[in-house]
Amino acid sequence: MKNAPEITFDSAFAEDTYKGLNSDPKFLLSKYIYDKNGDKLFQKIMDMPEYYLTSCEFDILKLNAENIADSFSSENGFDLIELGAGDGKKTKILLKEMVEKGYNFDYLPVDISQNVLDELENSLKEEIPEASVKVQQGTYFKTLEKLSEYNSRKKVILVLGSNIGNLSHKDAVDFLNNIRNAMSPEDMLFMGFDQKKHPQKILDAYNDPSGITEDFNKNLLVRINSELDGDFNLNNFLHWETYDPETGTAKSFLVSKKVQEVNIKKLDLQIHFDAWETIHTEISQKYDDSVVKWLADEAGLSVEKSFGDKENCYKNYIFRRQ
């Protein structure tokens, strides 16, 4: 293995790809699935009948929009800061409610994808022109560093879609702690957590028969081929999903079907794969109330309220600083 300092990396994607494919076991970071093609694939995933997370959270927000909006409101107005805004379809339910009630607020959607933000901003101009929108491109972690700057009035930090599930418990505590440190006493965090349930229902959500999640997972290899001049043959890799009901951890892998060599010219890298060797691409953690409370306690937060769908497949929690 070559030492990373010998190469000058043109991007974080290049550096993280180099490190991940030189590791044992190999891994790639799921955040890099999201380019223009990855965004479109994820929108297709959210429309799949197997992907229950979207419909469950839609139901929660529709049924509780007034109650949730009232929780957000403040005499002096507030900033609604959404991490990982995506296409904003679910958030629009709350935005419409708050506009109808005449609340004074600014909506600051944050996403790693500028393409997604542009589409969201344009759609909001048409659908909810009364809403004050200020898009913010960047990663969660860069955004968290700036959050404390929004301290002139109440801020509501919004994280929908169980995005926290892409983090290990340790990283989730760190993430929540960083949010907590940026919060003033009156601020709140509104976050979605996918709940533990029948294991087959979870597996089906990440391994649909039409192959959309497979294409989504393999978009990492498509990006490496396109942006880093790689020669991955996508047909030589199998999309594989696992779920451990004890820990609540779902994992996605790409599995090499045979012994093969892959070259990535821009990284001056040749990677050897044994037959059935894996690349770990994503974690999707599932929770219950006790785990959520434990995470909150570890991060100096307290659960104020939760909203669930009819079958408690999914829940949104309101947190405040302890």
Side-chain angles (χ1 to χ4, degrees):
M1 175 179 164
K2 299 173 183 176
N3 293 322
E6 295 176 6
I7 291 184
T8 300
F9 297 106
D10 293 334
S11 65
F13 175 52
E15 184 173 3
D16 289 337
T17 298
Y18 186 96
K19 289 177 180 176
L21 292 179
N22 273 314
S23 295
D24 186 16
K26 295 178 174 64
F27 69 89
L28 292 169
L29 299 181
S30 61
K31 67 181 180 180
Y32 294 120
I33 297 174
Y34 298 91
D35 60 358
K36 196 166 188 176
N37 184 52
D39 295 339
K40 287 179 180 176
L41 286 168
F42 188 63
Q43 287 176 6
K44 286 184 180 179
I45 286 172
M46 290 191 293
D47 291 335
M48 296 186 326
E50 296 88 357
Y51 195 76
Y52 59 85
L53 290 84
T54 305
S55 60
C56 285
E57 194 164 40
F58 257 115
D59 290 345
I60 291 169
L61 297 178
K62 284 178 182 176
L63 288 170
N64 301 282
E66 185 174 4
N67 195 348
I68 294 167
D70 288 345
S71 298
F72 292 176
S73 67
S74 173
E75 264 186 47
N76 300 320
F78 60 95
D79 293 313
L80 181 64
I81 304 170
E82 181 173 13
L83 305 183
D87 61 14
K89 285 181 181 177
K90 289 177 286 191
T91 313
K92 288 172 184 175
I93 297 169
L94 299 178
L95 296 177
K96 287 174 182 175
E97 180 72 24
M98 293 185 294
V99 164
E100 284 177 14
K101 286 182 172 288
Y103 289 154
N104 171 23
F105 72 96
D106 288 332
Y107 173 48
L108 291 81
V110 180
D111 204 281
I112 194 171
S113 169
Q114 186 63 50
N115 172 63
V116 159
L117 288 172
D118 292 342
E119 290 181 359
L120 174 58
E121 188 172 24
N122 290 332
S123 70
L124 286 170
K125 282 177 184 175
E126 289 184 14
E127 297 172 42
I128 318 174
E130 305 90 342
S132 169
V133 182
K134 301 174 182 178
V135 300
Q136 314 279 316
Q137 194 273 334
T139 64
Y140 285 3
F141 299 103
K142 286 183 181 177
T143 304
L144 289 176
E145 293 172 5
K146 298 179 182 178
L147 269 183
S148 56
E149 296 174 11
Y150 294 91
N151 56 11
S152 61
R153 61 180 182 175
K154 178 180 180 179
K155 59 180 174 285
V156 178
I157 301 159
L158 193 66
V159 188
L160 302 180
S162 197
N163 289 333
I164 195 170
N166 296 135
L167 303 174
S168 68
H169 284 334
K170 179 184 178 298
D171 289 340
V173 169
D174 289 343
F175 177 54
L176 290 170
N177 189 57
N178 284 334
I179 292 178
R180 187 256 179 211
N181 290 341
M183 291 170 67
S184 302
E186 70 165 341
D187 295 345
M188 63 168 50
L189 169 64
F190 186 86
M191 183 177 283
F193 288 79
D194 193 16
Q195 303 291 295
K196 292 179 181 178
K197 59 187 67 66
H198 194 299
Q200 192 60 53
K201 188 176 181 73
I202 291 170
L203 286 170
D204 290 346
Y206 298 96
N207 194 23
D208 64 289
S210 60
I212 299 172
T213 43
E214 178 179 0
D215 290 343
F216 180 69
N217 202 17
K218 287 184 177 180
N219 196 51
L220 282 163
L221 307 187
V222 173
R223 279 197 72 178
I224 292 171
N225 285 351
S226 172
E227 297 178 30
L228 302 178
D229 203 4
D231 62 1
F232 275 100
N233 182 335
L234 274 60
N235 293 325
N236 289 344
F237 288 85
L238 176 73
H239 166 69
W240 194 256
E241 186 71 23
T242 67
Y243 176 64
D244 182 346
E246 182 178 34
T247 62
T249 306
K251 289 184 178 181
S252 298
F253 297 90
L254 293 171
V255 186
S256 177
K257 296 179 183 178
K258 62 179 187 178
V259 175
Q260 58 180 310
E261 305 289 332
V262 173
N263 293 286
I264 306 175
K265 288 185 181 177
K266 287 190 177 178
L267 298 182
D268 189 26
L269 186 62
Q270 183 178 69
I271 300 292
H272 172 81
F273 287 91
D274 292 327
W276 311 116
E277 186 176 357
T278 60
I279 308 172
H280 177 215
T281 58
E282 189 171 37
I283 179 176
S284 301
Q285 191 68 40
K286 311 306 169 189
Y287 306 88
D288 55 29
D289 285 342
S290 62
V291 174
V292 173
K293 184 181 183 304
W294 174 79
L295 289 172
D297 286 342
E298 290 292 303
L301 295 167
S302 58
V303 177
E304 183 174 275
K305 193 184 293 186
S306 67
F307 305 88
D309 64 289
K310 292 174 183 176
E311 297 179 358
N312 279 332
C313 279
Y314 190 97
K315 286 187 178 181
N316 291 93
Y317 296 80
I318 290 178
F319 302 91
R320 289 192 184 269
R321 287 182 58 150
Q322 286 183 354

